[in-house]
Amino acid sequence: MTRKVILSILGLALIVGAFALANYLIDNKNKPKPVVPKVVKTVLVDTVKNTTVSVVISANGNLAAKERVELYSEVQGIFKSGSKLFKAGQKYNRGETLIRLDASEYYASVQSAKSNLYNSIAAIMPDLRLDFPEVYPKWQSYLNSFDLKKSTPKLPEMSGEKENYFITGRGIISAYYNVKNLEQRLAKYNISAPFTGILTEALVTEGTLIRSGQKLGEFINPSVYEMQVAVSKSYADIIKEGAKVELSNLEKTKTYQGTVARVNGSIDAATQTITAFVDVKHEDLKEGMYLEANLDAEKVEDAIEIDRNLLLDSQEIYVVKDSLLDVIPVKPAHFSDRTVVLKDVPNGTIILKKPVPGAYAGMQVKAATTDTAE
């Protein structure tokens, strides 16, 4: 009897629970879904105002001294010490002796040749006095001015054929040019600075034997440097001599002003680039310094310059019309690493100033002109 009562109570409880669950499910089925609020993204915009945009070409390279001399010896001798040590970093003024070789033996042979020339002229003086009295005074004056310690003076001008034949027949002309040749070679025992500059490389030291053809070092003028830059062949007719160039170091902490000094007349067949040479002067510059250059190439009329990321692959850009994004076609005039110059964008057009992730035509946005865009 008790068992039947318990089963009846459990059955009744099950029926009541099923009825309650059914009512709960019916109520939830008719409950309205929550409305998700629509998010309108705020974008940074700008209003188009066409102006003249200067196209700047970026390039880089290393500085090299515009005036450079590689020092070589044309004669042989012992390197004699001078007033300054022949060391890298040593400064010399124009005309100051860089290298002096021992020329005592060669100097003696030059003096011997000059003495022979003097004796040859002196030997013909009696004949000149008798046969050519009209030219005798100038040759006598020449002998009087002849100084073995100085450079051999130029021979007197010939007055006629007879004088010329007479002087040439005595071997005076050949002896004179032989002396001048020896004097020219004697001068090569001293190497002087062609300009005021600094020694950047020294390959020999005082007291060593210098041989003919041996490289001795390098000498540069540190006041003017030039940088060789390669630019696209499309700018071959744009880059001109005298164009202003702004140069800067890699850290962008210092800037220098330069000018285009030369432009190569041929295009590199391998790279399809043209080479320009930029002159720059500054006391802080050193040879071999790496600099970046910005060359003013041309000016584009009625154009704007925007971030390169704003240009779509379809040559279009986003604009804002009635709080909606739209696209318009544009005409790129110049590309750089970070920006692009565009033409055919109407004045007053509202365009994006910064890229918007996930942007699409028809997207609803809220325009902002300050950097508060999300």
Side-chain angles (χ1 to χ4, degrees):
M1 186 68 179
T2 305
R3 182 179 179 186
K4 290 182 179 180
V5 173
I6 295 173
L7 291 175
S8 298
I9 294 173
L10 290 176
L12 183 61
L14 182 61
I15 292 173
V16 173
F19 181 76
L21 178 61
N23 288 334
Y24 176 78
L25 293 176
I26 292 173
D27 293 340
N28 284 333
K29 182 178 180 180
N30 296 328
K31 187 177 181 180
K33 296 181 180 179
V35 178
V36 179
K38 189 173 183 180
V39 178
V40 178
K41 184 172 290 188
T42 303
V43 296
L44 189 63
V45 298
D46 197 4
T47 303
V48 172
K49 184 179 180 181
N50 286 290
T51 58
T52 300
V53 179
S54 297
V55 174
V56 178
I57 305 172
S58 297
N60 50 61
N62 295 92
L63 292 181
K66 190 171 184 178
E67 290 184 292
R68 167 191 297 274
V69 175
E70 291 188 349
L71 304 175
Y72 285 88
S73 176
E74 298 184 62
V75 294
Q76 179 173 306
I78 301 297
F79 185 4
K80 300 183 68 175
S81 58
S83 59
K84 295 181 179 179
L85 290 177
F86 190 77
K87 300 291 184 182
Q90 184 64 59
K91 296 180 180 180
Y92 293 88
N93 295 321
R94 180 185 179 91
E96 196 171 359
T97 300
L98 295 171
I99 294 177
R100 184 166 60 94
L101 304 182
D102 184 8
S104 55
E105 181 178 351
Y106 194 81
Y107 177 77
S109 63
V110 174
Q111 294 300 96
S112 175
K114 291 171 69 175
S115 178
N116 290 336
L117 174 62
Y118 182 87
N119 293 337
S120 298
I121 297 175
I124 65 171
M125 293 304 292
D127 294 335
L128 284 176
R129 192 169 192 175
L130 293 175
D131 300 335
F132 304 95
E134 66 280 3
V135 301
Y136 175 81
K138 67 179 181 182
W139 284 97
Q140 183 62 51
S141 176
Y142 180 81
L143 276 183
N144 294 336
S145 63
F146 200 99
D147 189 347
L148 292 177
K149 296 180 180 180
K150 298 180 181 179
S151 177
T152 303
K154 185 179 179 181
L155 291 176
E157 293 290 338
M158 302 298 177
S159 302
E161 290 187 0
K162 292 183 177 180
E163 179 189 4
N164 186 26
Y165 292 150
F166 180 82
I167 297 299
T168 304
R170 299 300 192 276
I172 303 299
I173 303 297
S174 60
Y176 168 77
Y177 283 108
N178 178 58
V179 170
K180 298 302 290 185
N181 180 56
L182 294 176
E183 286 182 339
Q184 288 291 328
R185 190 163 183 81
L186 178 63
K188 295 178 180 179
Y189 280 82
N190 284 337
I191 300 178
S192 301
F195 46 78
T196 299
I198 187 171
L199 194 67
T200 58
E201 185 181 27
L203 302 178
V204 293
T205 57
E206 289 82 351
T208 57
L209 175 63
I210 306 300
R211 301 186 181 278
S212 178
Q214 181 179 350
K215 184 177 181 180
L216 309 177
E218 289 188 3
F219 186 71
I220 68 168
N221 181 355
S223 62
V224 182
Y225 293 96
E226 69 176 11
M227 187 174 74
Q228 178 178 330
V229 296
V231 297
S232 174
K233 66 176 183 179
S234 59
Y235 300 111
D237 58 341
I238 298 175
I239 299 178
K240 303 295 183 181
E241 294 183 8
K244 300 299 180 182
V245 182
E246 183 178 279
L247 302 103
S248 62
N249 56 6
L250 292 179
E251 296 78 16
K252 305 295 184 181
T253 56
K254 294 183 178 181
T255 58
Y256 312 96
Q257 299 300 319
T259 56
V260 177
R262 307 188 309 280
V263 179
N264 199 335
S266 63
I267 295 175
D268 191 310
T271 61
Q272 290 297 294
T273 58
I274 190 169
T275 304
F277 297 87
V278 179
D279 282 1
V280 58
K281 298 180 181 180
H282 200 278
E283 58 184 8
D284 294 341
L285 298 177
K286 303 291 182 184
E287 187 173 56
M289 185 180 292
Y290 186 86
L291 295 179
E292 294 182 350
N294 293 319
L295 291 79
D296 293 332
E298 64 174 331
K299 297 184 183 297
V300 182
E301 302 289 340
D302 296 327
I304 61 171
E305 188 174 17
I306 64 172
D307 191 321
R308 189 166 179 172
N309 294 325
L310 294 174
L311 181 65
L312 304 178
D313 293 337
S314 56
Q315 304 295 300
E316 295 175 319
I317 61 172
Y318 282 113
V319 298
V320 179
K321 294 181 179 179
D322 299 328
S323 300
L324 295 177
L325 286 185
D326 197 2
V327 292
I328 61 171
V330 293
K331 181 181 178 182
H334 172 73
F335 289 92
S336 67
D337 293 339
R338 300 177 182 176
T339 63
V340 57
V341 178
L342 303 178
K343 293 180 68 68
D344 298 340
V345 182
N347 282 325
T349 304
I350 300 176
I351 64 174
L352 294 182
K353 194 172 184 179
K354 289 186 177 180
V356 177
Y360 58 90
M363 179 179 179
Q364 189 171 4
V365 294
K366 179 181 178 182
T369 57
T370 61
D371 291 334
T372 58
E374 299 177 355

